[in-house]
Amino acid sequence: MQLLRRVLRGLVQAVLLLVCGVIFYLMVIMGDTKTPDMAAEISLTAAPLAKLPQSPLEFTADTLYQAEYYFNAPILKLGGREWMLQKAVVQDTVPKSVGVSVREVRLRYTNADGAVVEVSSLTPARCLRVLSAKGFITAMDQEWMMAGSQAVFMKSGDTLHLHIVKGEVVYQIEGAVGLEALRKAAGTAEV
């Protein structure tokens, strides 16, 4: 009888150990995959850039979809009715401070007051090195949001600049405008 109890107890312990091992595997090892954020999604799913037949290429507001073809991620745009899209430019440049080819889709917007802002989507993210060469310095006021993300606010003379980084893509708004106009533009920005 005692021998039967020992065998049953060993069998129950082996089954419990096996169940604990399966639970550990499911919770710790299988559950370790993280949900990628938007930045990781953009950089993981980014396709190679389409070759430009010439640089720069210009598009109108009606043909913006053609400009989007030449970028490997969603582009930054201004929504609402206050800002009117004038044109889009797609170009490749090789800035000295970056050392690699930078693809930019730049949209020019104006409002009823005559303010002009340039909204750009650029890749790779190393293109941010150009900002210091252009004289941009980080401003003290860093309470800025753009397209649902915390933005970096910079100045160079009369030109104001906001940018966010999502993986290898930089989204920016730039213009010789007042703070209020920049804040309104940033408030309507969407990716």
Side-chain angles (χ1 to χ4, degrees), residues 84-97:
M84 299 298 296
L85 178 61
Q86 301 301 309
K87 70 176 183 175
V89 176
V90 180
Q91 65 183 358
D92 287 334
T93 57
V94 183
K96 289 181 183 178
S97 55

Side-chain angles (χ1 to χ4, degrees), residues 149-170:
S149 297
Q150 182 76 36
V152 177
F153 177 50
M154 303 178 85
K155 293 179 183 181
S156 176
D158 292 338
T159 304
L160 305 180
H161 169 96
L162 280 179
H163 73 264
I164 57 174
V165 180
K166 302 278 185 185
E168 280 299 311
V169 179
V170 174

Side-chain angles (χ1 to χ4, degrees), residues 70-89:
Y70 292 102
F71 204 69
N72 59 358
I75 65 171
L76 185 67
K77 302 174 193 168
L78 298 185
R81 296 178 184 224
E82 183 174 347
W83 294 94
M84 299 298 296
L85 178 61
Q86 301 301 309
K87 70 176 183 175
V89 176

Side-chain angles (χ1 to χ4, degrees), residues 14-94:
V15 169
L16 286 175
L17 185 61
L18 182 64
V19 168
C20 288
V22 168
I23 291 172
F24 175 80
Y25 178 79
L26 290 174
M27 292 182 72
V28 175
I29 296 174
M30 294 292 286
D32 194 32
T33 59
K34 296 179 176 113
T35 305
D37 60 353
M38 184 181 170
E41 264 182 50
I42 288 174
S43 64
L44 290 176
T45 61
L49 293 169
K51 185 172 169 53
L52 287 178
Q54 67 185 38
S55 183
L57 291 176
E58 286 195 24
F59 301 92
T60 64
D62 295 334
T63 58
L64 179 60
Y65 68 94
Q66 292 177 346
E68 293 179 71
Y69 169 77
Y70 292 102
F71 204 69
N72 59 358
I75 65 171
L76 185 67
K77 302 174 193 168
L78 298 185
R81 296 178 184 224
E82 183 174 347
W83 294 94
M84 299 298 296
L85 178 61
Q86 301 301 309
K87 70 176 183 175
V89 176
V90 180
Q91 65 183 358
D92 287 334
T93 57
V94 183

